[in-house]
Amino acid sequence: MSIQTRPLAVPKKRGIFSYMRSEYMLYLLMVPGLLYFLVFKYIPMYGVSIAFQNYNIFNPDNSTWVGFDNFSKLISQVGFQRALYNNIVISLQKLVIGFPIPIILSLMINEVNSRNCKKFIQTSVILPNFVSWVVINGLMYALFSPSMGGIREIANFIGYTGQLPNLLTDVDSFQSVIVWSHVWKNAGMGTIVYLAALMGIDDQLYEAASIDGAGKWRQLIHITLPCIKSTIIVLLMFRVGEVMYAGFDQIFAITNPMVNPVADIIDTFVYRVGLQNKQFALATAAGLFQSVIGLVLVIITNAIAKKTDPDSSMI
């Protein structure tokens, strides 16, 4: 006598629209971000065509197409060549100096045992991120002014009456002011992601390493850093993609005519040429050149990251 068995019921696969209806609140949270990118990133891409035109602001329909003439004119300008050089130098300094510091800060904060002390330190290093560059410019003037700044007062107190350099107007030191003020302002904010990654590491790994005789340094090298390697690589790709953006708001707020030769970057060049000189086609060409180089850098960095750690690539 044969026993008939009923086939097992296979759960019906949910469609994407069915899932969206059931989880509509999660998708509503995406709406503000999507609107931001749509309004401020995608719709303005129509204006990229201005870079290939002899643009007439009073009658845009009569603008004539000139191909890559604006790019040829742009690259031949001494002002743009200087801005491009300064842009690369400042961005690379920010990358080399500023990228490792949040990692080091996070590792140091993570080793603090007192929870209240850890919160106080983390809050202290994050606070500068919420200070405007205009306010920071005032703070730096109050600190570095050679006549009545804080450093001048300290020098007078210890009996030094000699002349102090004005770091805010000295072309030899102004790029260092840009880089280190950027690091001071943004390093704390970068610790948030790394501390979150450090919290995800299993404590049993450290306990096993401790039993095997591994000290703090070996635990750092063989457990901590490998566990947050993917996070480091992803954030590094973002930073490399921003190499062509040296920080318009910072430089525009703290720069002055005396340091323009070492502080003028592509963003300030675009502002000056586009809004002040009304050369919109040339400014658009400079902005498009900047964006294309940034995209190429991200693609190259992502290809390298994919070979190094396949889990950390974005594409």
Side-chain angles (χ1 to χ4, degrees):
M1 184 176 64
S2 63
I3 302 175
Q4 294 183 351
T5 58
R6 298 178 60 183
L8 295 175
V10 179
K12 188 176 181 181
K13 204 170 186 179
R14 297 175 64 185
I16 182 65
F17 294 106
S18 174
Y19 181 80
M20 291 178 66
R21 281 197 302 269
S22 62
E23 304 291 346
Y24 70 95
M25 291 299 294
L26 294 177
Y27 287 94
L28 284 177
L29 293 174
M30 297 171 55
V31 172
L34 293 175
L35 287 176
Y36 168 78
F37 283 101
L38 178 65
V39 174
F40 295 104
K41 302 297 181 181
Y42 284 95
I43 294 179
M45 288 179 69
Y46 173 77
V48 170
S49 60
I50 297 175
F52 305 94
Q53 299 175 354
N54 184 11
Y55 188 68
N56 186 349
I57 186 175
F58 300 104
N59 193 353
D61 294 335
N62 288 340
S63 301
T64 56
W65 292 89
V66 294
F68 291 93
D69 288 352
N70 288 323
F71 293 91
S72 301
K73 187 187 302 183
L74 178 72
I75 295 174
S76 64
Q77 287 194 3
V78 176
F80 177 76
Q81 295 173 5
R82 182 186 66 183
L84 177 61
Y85 175 78
N86 291 336
N87 204 107
I88 294 173
V89 170
I90 293 173
S91 294
L92 288 180
Q93 289 185 67
K94 287 182 176 180
L95 177 63
V96 173
I97 299 174
F99 183 75
I101 289 181
I103 303 174
I104 298 171
L105 272 176
S106 302
L107 296 173
M108 294 172 65
I109 294 173
N110 192 56
E111 292 299 322
V112 177
N113 294 324
S114 173
R115 186 174 182 181
N116 292 331
C117 184
K118 182 182 293 187
K119 287 183 178 180
F120 174 77
I121 295 173
Q122 189 176 1
T123 303
S124 300
V125 297
I126 289 175
L127 278 178
N129 183 77
F130 302 100
V131 181
S132 168
W133 279 114
V134 178
V135 177
I136 293 176
N137 182 39
L139 293 174
M140 288 194 297
Y141 178 80
L143 181 64
F144 297 129
S145 175
S147 59
M148 52 183 168
I151 295 179
R152 175 77 270 175
E153 295 296 328
I154 295 174
N156 292 337
F157 179 77
I158 63 177
Y160 178 76
T161 58
Q163 186 177 3
L164 294 175
N166 190 346
L167 299 180
L168 298 180
T169 58
D170 184 12
V171 293
D172 294 328
S173 58
F174 191 74
Q175 286 190 354
S176 298
V177 173
I178 292 174
V179 173
W180 286 107
S181 60
H182 167 82
V183 171
W184 172 76
K185 186 177 188 296
N186 296 290
M189 203 65 180
T191 61
I192 294 177
V193 177
Y194 294 115
L195 284 173
L198 290 171
M199 291 177 62
I201 301 176
D202 192 352
D203 290 336
Q204 293 181 358
L205 296 175
Y206 294 108
E207 293 173 1
S210 179
I211 293 173
D212 290 338
K216 288 292 183 180
W217 180 253
R218 289 192 174 274
Q219 292 177 21
L220 171 67
I221 298 298
H222 298 289
I223 298 176
T224 306
L225 291 179
C227 287
I228 64 173
K229 182 175 69 172
S230 297
T231 303
I232 294 174
I233 293 176
V234 170
L235 293 180
L236 178 61
M237 281 190 284
F238 283 122
R239 288 293 293 113
V240 170
E242 295 174 353
V243 163
M244 296 303 293
Y245 299 90
F248 170 77
D249 50 350
Q250 176 195 13
I251 295 177
F252 186 76
I254 70 176
T255 193
N256 56 78
M258 298 184 67
V259 294
N260 268 344
V262 296
D264 192 27
I265 59 173
I266 295 179
D267 286 323
T268 54
F269 176 85
V270 169
Y271 170 81
R272 186 174 62 255
V273 171
L275 295 182
Q276 294 183 348
N277 299 339
K278 305 297 187 293
Q279 300 180 23
F280 298 104
L282 205 61
T284 306
L288 181 58
F289 173 85
Q290 186 181 25
S291 301
V292 170
I293 297 299
L295 175 62
V296 171
L297 289 174
V298 170
I299 293 174
I300 294 174
T301 310
N302 183 77
I304 297 173
K306 188 178 292 186
K307 292 184 177 296
T308 306
D309 185 5
D311 296 331
S312 62
S313 62
M314 296 187 298
I315 304 175

